[in-house]
Amino acid sequence: MSVSTVRATSPATPTAPTAPTATAPRGRGARITLRTLQVLLGVFFGVASGAPKLIAHPTAVESFDKLGWGAPGMYTIGALELLGGVALLLPLLSSVAATAFIGLMIGAFIVSVTALGGENAATPLILILPLAWIAWARRAETTKLVARVRR
């Protein structure tokens, strides 16, 4: 048995490959696409979806009155959407925000189908896919956030 064979089978030599620490997409195009999605969804949730609720746009008021949730429900959902939209833009919070939005979109789909006659029911389902990609691709950020909170 040669010296090189002994070294290769020595228990001191690690044999298991180490997992990569980064979870973000590796290709430049994929990273750009991911970041673009984060910005677009952040702006969508903050400006196009949250702001009309916070300024009591008549269509938002009508929808929430129809649900029986009134102004408190409308302002709460609007604030969550605005804050979540901002959180999508912050690297440390992007995965948590995307995961929270998935839950919100599931709720929006259920409410749309059961209480609003299915109007715009496809929108929340469509948004779940890019949100799931963001949550998965940025999951290392959640680990960092948990580590900071535990300190």
Short mmCIF file of all heavy atoms in Angstrom, two decimals, residues 98-141:
data_model
loop_
_atom_site.label_atom_id
_atom_site.label_comp_id
_atom_site.label_asym_id
_atom_site.label_seq_id
_atom_site.Cartn_x
_atom_site.Cartn_y
_atom_site.Cartn_z
N ALA A 98 -41.50 37.53 0.77
CA ALA A 98 -42.08 36.72 -0.30
C ALA A 98 -42.93 35.59 0.27
O ALA A 98 -44.02 35.31 -0.22
CB ALA A 98 -40.98 36.17 -1.21
N THR A 99 -42.44 34.96 1.33
CA THR A 99 -43.20 33.88 1.98
C THR A 99 -44.50 34.42 2.57
O THR A 99 -45.56 33.80 2.43
CB THR A 99 -42.34 33.21 3.07
OG1 THR A 99 -41.14 32.73 2.47
CG2 THR A 99 -43.08 32.06 3.71
N ALA A 100 -44.43 35.57 3.22
CA ALA A 100 -45.64 36.18 3.78
C ALA A 100 -46.63 36.54 2.68
O ALA A 100 -47.85 36.34 2.84
CB ALA A 100 -45.27 37.41 4.60
N PHE A 101 -46.13 37.04 1.56
CA PHE A 101 -47.00 37.38 0.44
C PHE A 101 -47.66 36.13 -0.15
O PHE A 101 -48.79 36.20 -0.63
CB PHE A 101 -46.26 38.16 -0.64
CG PHE A 101 -46.28 39.64 -0.44
CD1 PHE A 101 -45.09 40.37 -0.47
CD2 PHE A 101 -47.46 40.33 -0.21
CE1 PHE A 101 -45.10 41.74 -0.28
CE2 PHE A 101 -47.48 41.70 -0.03
CZ PHE A 101 -46.30 42.41 -0.06
N ILE A 102 -46.98 35.01 -0.14
CA ILE A 102 -47.59 33.77 -0.62
C ILE A 102 -48.82 33.46 0.23
O ILE A 102 -49.89 33.15 -0.30
CB ILE A 102 -46.59 32.60 -0.62
CG1 ILE A 102 -45.54 32.82 -1.71
CG2 ILE A 102 -47.31 31.26 -0.81
CD1 ILE A 102 -44.36 31.86 -1.64
N GLY A 103 -48.68 33.58 1.54
CA GLY A 103 -49.83 33.38 2.42
C GLY A 103 -50.94 34.38 2.14
O GLY A 103 -52.13 34.02 2.10
N LEU A 104 -50.58 35.63 1.95
CA LEU A 104 -51.57 36.66 1.65
C LEU A 104 -52.26 36.38 0.32
O LEU A 104 -53.48 36.56 0.19
CB LEU A 104 -50.89 38.04 1.62
CG LEU A 104 -51.81 39.25 1.52
CD1 LEU A 104 -52.66 39.39 2.78
CD2 LEU A 104 -50.99 40.51 1.31
N MET A 105 -51.52 35.90 -0.67
CA MET A 105 -52.10 35.59 -1.98
C MET A 105 -53.04 34.38 -1.91
O MET A 105 -54.06 34.34 -2.60
CB MET A 105 -51.01 35.35 -3.02
CG MET A 105 -50.21 36.60 -3.39
SD MET A 105 -51.22 37.94 -4.06
CE MET A 105 -51.46 38.97 -2.62
N ILE A 106 -52.72 33.42 -1.09
CA ILE A 106 -53.63 32.28 -0.90
C ILE A 106 -54.94 32.79 -0.30
O ILE A 106 -56.02 32.43 -0.74
CB ILE A 106 -52.97 31.18 -0.03
CG1 ILE A 106 -51.83 30.52 -0.80
CG2 ILE A 106 -54.01 30.15 0.42
CD1 ILE A 106 -50.95 29.61 0.05
N GLY A 107 -54.82 33.65 0.71
CA GLY A 107 -56.01 34.24 1.30
C GLY A 107 -56.79 35.09 0.31
O GLY A 107 -58.03 35.04 0.26
N ALA A 108 -56.08 35.85 -0.51
CA ALA A 108 -56.75 36.69 -1.51
C ALA A 108 -57.49 35.83 -2.53
O ALA A 108 -58.61 36.18 -2.95
CB ALA A 108 -55.72 37.58 -2.22
N PHE A 109 -56.89 34.72 -2.91
CA PHE A 109 -57.56 33.82 -3.85
C PHE A 109 -58.84 33.25 -3.24
O PHE A 109 -59.90 33.26 -3.87
CB PHE A 109 -56.62 32.68 -4.26
CG PHE A 109 -57.31 31.61 -5.07
CD1 PHE A 109 -57.63 31.83 -6.40
CD2 PHE A 109 -57.64 30.40 -4.50
CE1 PHE A 109 -58.29 30.85 -7.14
CE2 PHE A 109 -58.29 29.42 -5.22
CZ PHE A 109 -58.62 29.65 -6.55
N ILE A 110 -58.75 32.79 -2.01
CA ILE A 110 -59.92 32.21 -1.33
C ILE A 110 -61.03 33.25 -1.20
O ILE A 110 -62.20 32.97 -1.48
CB ILE A 110 -59.52 31.62 0.03
CG1 ILE A 110 -58.63 30.40 -0.18
CG2 ILE A 110 -60.74 31.27 0.87
CD1 ILE A 110 -57.95 29.88 1.08
N VAL A 111 -60.68 34.46 -0.77
CA VAL A 111 -61.68 35.52 -0.62
C VAL A 111 -62.28 35.88 -1.97
O VAL A 111 -63.49 36.07 -2.10
CB VAL A 111 -61.06 36.76 0.06
CG1 VAL A 111 -61.96 37.97 -0.05
CG2 VAL A 111 -60.76 36.46 1.52
N SER A 112 -61.44 35.96 -2.99
CA SER A 112 -61.92 36.30 -4.31
C SER A 112 -62.93 35.28 -4.83
O SER A 112 -63.97 35.65 -5.39
CB SER A 112 -60.74 36.41 -5.28
OG SER A 112 -61.18 36.69 -6.57
N VAL A 113 -62.65 34.01 -4.63
CA VAL A 113 -63.54 32.96 -5.12
C VAL A 113 -64.81 32.87 -4.28
O VAL A 113 -65.92 32.74 -4.82
CB VAL A 113 -62.79 31.60 -5.16
CG1 VAL A 113 -63.75 30.45 -5.40
CG2 VAL A 113 -61.71 31.63 -6.22
N THR A 114 -64.67 32.95 -2.97
CA THR A 114 -65.83 32.72 -2.11
C THR A 114 -66.70 33.95 -1.90
O THR A 114 -67.92 33.82 -1.79
CB THR A 114 -65.40 32.19 -0.73
OG1 THR A 114 -64.53 33.14 -0.11
CG2 THR A 114 -64.69 30.85 -0.85
N ALA A 115 -66.12 35.13 -1.84
CA ALA A 115 -66.90 36.31 -1.49
C ALA A 115 -67.07 37.31 -2.63
O ALA A 115 -67.99 38.12 -2.59
CB ALA A 115 -66.26 37.02 -0.30
N LEU A 116 -66.20 37.27 -3.60
CA LEU A 116 -66.26 38.28 -4.67
C LEU A 116 -66.63 37.68 -6.02
O LEU A 116 -66.43 38.32 -7.06
CB LEU A 116 -64.93 39.03 -4.76
CG LEU A 116 -64.51 39.80 -3.51
CD1 LEU A 116 -63.13 40.41 -3.69
CD2 LEU A 116 -65.53 40.86 -3.16
N GLY A 117 -67.09 36.47 -6.04
CA GLY A 117 -67.54 35.85 -7.28
C GLY A 117 -66.44 35.46 -8.24
O GLY A 117 -66.68 35.30 -9.43
N GLY A 118 -65.23 35.34 -7.78
CA GLY A 118 -64.13 34.91 -8.63
C GLY A 118 -63.50 36.01 -9.45
O GLY A 118 -62.59 35.75 -10.24
N GLU A 119 -63.95 37.24 -9.25
CA GLU A 119 -63.37 38.35 -10.00
C GLU A 119 -61.90 38.51 -9.64
O GLU A 119 -61.55 38.62 -8.47
CB GLU A 119 -64.14 39.63 -9.65
CG GLU A 119 -63.70 40.83 -10.45
CD GLU A 119 -64.51 42.07 -10.10
OE1 GLU A 119 -65.61 41.95 -9.55
OE2 GLU A 119 -64.01 43.17 -10.38
N ASN A 120 -61.03 38.50 -10.64
CA ASN A 120 -59.58 38.63 -10.47
C ASN A 120 -58.97 37.51 -9.63
O ASN A 120 -57.92 37.70 -9.01
CB ASN A 120 -59.22 39.99 -9.85
CG ASN A 120 -59.68 41.15 -10.70
OD1 ASN A 120 -59.59 41.10 -11.92
ND2 ASN A 120 -60.20 42.18 -10.08
N ALA A 121 -59.57 36.34 -9.61
CA ALA A 121 -59.06 35.22 -8.81
C ALA A 121 -57.73 34.69 -9.34
O ALA A 121 -56.94 34.13 -8.58
CB ALA A 121 -60.09 34.09 -8.75
N ALA A 122 -57.47 34.87 -10.61
CA ALA A 122 -56.23 34.34 -11.19
C ALA A 122 -55.00 35.14 -10.76
O ALA A 122 -53.90 34.59 -10.67
CB ALA A 122 -56.32 34.31 -12.71
N THR A 123 -55.18 36.41 -10.48
CA THR A 123 -54.03 37.26 -10.14
C THR A 123 -53.23 36.75 -8.96
O THR A 123 -52.01 36.61 -9.07
CB THR A 123 -54.50 38.71 -9.91
OG1 THR A 123 -55.17 39.17 -11.08
CG2 THR A 123 -53.32 39.62 -9.60
N PRO A 124 -53.86 36.42 -7.82
CA PRO A 124 -53.06 35.91 -6.70
C PRO A 124 -52.34 34.60 -7.04
O PRO A 124 -51.21 34.40 -6.62
CB PRO A 124 -54.07 35.69 -5.58
CG PRO A 124 -55.30 36.40 -5.98
CD PRO A 124 -55.26 36.59 -7.45
N LEU A 125 -53.00 33.75 -7.81
CA LEU A 125 -52.35 32.47 -8.17
C LEU A 125 -51.13 32.70 -9.06
O LEU A 125 -50.11 32.03 -8.90
CB LEU A 125 -53.35 31.55 -8.88
CG LEU A 125 -54.51 31.05 -8.02
CD1 LEU A 125 -55.44 30.17 -8.85
CD2 LEU A 125 -54.00 30.30 -6.81
N ILE A 126 -51.23 33.64 -9.97
CA ILE A 126 -50.11 33.95 -10.86
C ILE A 126 -48.94 34.53 -10.05
O ILE A 126 -47.78 34.21 -10.29
CB ILE A 126 -50.55 34.91 -11.97
CG1 ILE A 126 -51.52 34.20 -12.91
CG2 ILE A 126 -49.35 35.47 -12.73
CD1 ILE A 126 -52.26 35.12 -13.87
N LEU A 127 -49.25 35.37 -9.07
CA LEU A 127 -48.20 36.02 -8.28
C LEU A 127 -47.47 35.04 -7.36
O LEU A 127 -46.33 35.29 -6.96
CB LEU A 127 -48.79 37.17 -7.46
CG LEU A 127 -49.24 38.38 -8.28
CD1 LEU A 127 -49.97 39.37 -7.39
CD2 LEU A 127 -48.07 39.04 -8.97
N ILE A 128 -48.11 33.93 -7.02
CA ILE A 128 -47.47 32.96 -6.12
C ILE A 128 -46.19 32.39 -6.74
O ILE A 128 -45.20 32.19 -6.03
CB ILE A 128 -48.46 31.84 -5.73
CG1 ILE A 128 -49.48 32.40 -4.73
CG2 ILE A 128 -47.74 30.64 -5.14
CD1 ILE A 128 -50.60 31.43 -4.39
N LEU A 129 -46.17 32.17 -8.03
CA LEU A 129 -44.98 31.56 -8.66
C LEU A 129 -43.72 32.41 -8.53
O LEU A 129 -42.70 31.92 -8.05
CB LEU A 129 -45.29 31.22 -10.12
CG LEU A 129 -46.34 30.14 -10.32
CD1 LEU A 129 -46.66 29.97 -11.80
CD2 LEU A 129 -45.88 28.83 -9.72
N PRO A 130 -43.73 33.69 -8.94
CA PRO A 130 -42.50 34.47 -8.75
C PRO A 130 -42.17 34.70 -7.28
O PRO A 130 -41.00 34.76 -6.90
CB PRO A 130 -42.77 35.79 -9.48
CG PRO A 130 -44.24 35.86 -9.63
CD PRO A 130 -44.75 34.45 -9.67
N LEU A 131 -43.19 34.80 -6.43
CA LEU A 131 -42.94 34.96 -5.00
C LEU A 131 -42.25 33.72 -4.43
O LEU A 131 -41.34 33.82 -3.60
CB LEU A 131 -44.24 35.24 -4.25
CG LEU A 131 -44.84 36.62 -4.46
CD1 LEU A 131 -46.27 36.67 -3.94
CD2 LEU A 131 -43.97 37.70 -3.83
N ALA A 132 -42.67 32.55 -4.89
CA ALA A 132 -42.05 31.31 -4.42
C ALA A 132 -40.59 31.24 -4.87
O ALA A 132 -39.71 30.79 -4.11
CB ALA A 132 -42.82 30.10 -4.93
N TRP A 133 -40.31 31.70 -6.08
CA TRP A 133 -38.92 31.70 -6.55
C TRP A 133 -38.07 32.65 -5.70
O TRP A 133 -36.96 32.32 -5.30
CB TRP A 133 -38.84 32.07 -8.03
CG TRP A 133 -37.45 31.99 -8.58
CD1 TRP A 133 -36.51 31.01 -8.33
CD2 TRP A 133 -36.82 32.92 -9.46
NE1 TRP A 133 -35.36 31.29 -9.02
CE2 TRP A 133 -35.51 32.45 -9.71
CE3 TRP A 133 -37.23 34.10 -10.05
CZ2 TRP A 133 -34.62 33.12 -10.53
CZ3 TRP A 133 -36.34 34.76 -10.88
CH2 TRP A 133 -35.04 34.28 -11.11
N ILE A 134 -38.61 33.82 -5.41
CA ILE A 134 -37.87 34.78 -4.57
C ILE A 134 -37.62 34.17 -3.19
O ILE A 134 -36.51 34.23 -2.66
CB ILE A 134 -38.62 36.12 -4.46
CG1 ILE A 134 -38.65 36.83 -5.81
CG2 ILE A 134 -37.99 37.01 -3.39
CD1 ILE A 134 -39.63 37.99 -5.89
N ALA A 135 -38.65 33.60 -2.60
CA ALA A 135 -38.51 33.00 -1.25
C ALA A 135 -37.45 31.91 -1.26
O ALA A 135 -36.62 31.82 -0.35
CB ALA A 135 -39.85 32.44 -0.78
N TRP A 136 -37.45 31.07 -2.28
CA TRP A 136 -36.48 29.98 -2.35
C TRP A 136 -35.07 30.50 -2.63
O TRP A 136 -34.11 30.10 -1.97
CB TRP A 136 -36.89 28.97 -3.44
CG TRP A 136 -35.92 27.86 -3.56
CD1 TRP A 136 -35.82 26.74 -2.80
CD2 TRP A 136 -34.85 27.77 -4.52
NE1 TRP A 136 -34.78 25.96 -3.22
CE2 TRP A 136 -34.16 26.57 -4.28
CE3 TRP A 136 -34.42 28.61 -5.56
CZ2 TRP A 136 -33.07 26.18 -5.03
CZ3 TRP A 136 -33.33 28.20 -6.30
CH2 TRP A 136 -32.67 27.00 -6.03
N ALA A 137 -34.95 31.38 -3.59
CA ALA A 137 -33.63 31.86 -4.00
C ALA A 137 -32.96 32.70 -2.91
O ALA A 137 -31.74 32.74 -2.82
CB ALA A 137 -33.73 32.68 -5.29
N ARG A 138 -33.73 33.36 -2.10
CA ARG A 138 -33.19 34.22 -1.04
C ARG A 138 -33.28 33.59 0.34
O ARG A 138 -33.16 34.27 1.36
CB ARG A 138 -33.93 35.56 -1.03
CG ARG A 138 -33.86 36.33 -2.33
CD ARG A 138 -32.48 36.85 -2.58
NE ARG A 138 -32.49 37.77 -3.72
CZ ARG A 138 -31.46 37.97 -4.49
NH1 ARG A 138 -30.33 37.35 -4.26
NH2 ARG A 138 -31.53 38.81 -5.50
N ARG A 139 -33.47 32.28 0.42
CA ARG A 139 -33.66 31.60 1.71
C ARG A 139 -32.45 31.73 2.63
O ARG A 139 -32.60 31.70 3.85
CB ARG A 139 -34.05 30.15 1.52
CG ARG A 139 -33.00 29.26 0.90
CD ARG A 139 -33.58 27.90 0.53
NE ARG A 139 -32.57 27.02 -0.01
CZ ARG A 139 -32.15 27.01 -1.26
NH1 ARG A 139 -32.68 27.87 -2.13
NH2 ARG A 139 -31.22 26.16 -1.66
N ALA A 140 -31.26 31.90 2.09
CA ALA A 140 -30.08 32.09 2.94
C ALA A 140 -30.20 33.38 3.75
O ALA A 140 -29.69 33.47 4.86
CB ALA A 140 -28.81 32.11 2.10
N GLU A 141 -30.91 34.35 3.19
CA GLU A 141 -31.12 35.61 3.91
C GLU A 141 -31.98 35.39 5.15
O GLU A 141 -31.80 36.05 6.17
CB GLU A 141 -31.75 36.67 2.99
CG GLU A 141 -30.91 37.02 1.79
CD GLU A 141 -29.53 37.56 2.16
OE1 GLU A 141 -29.42 38.29 3.17
OE2 GLU A 141 -28.57 37.26 1.44
#
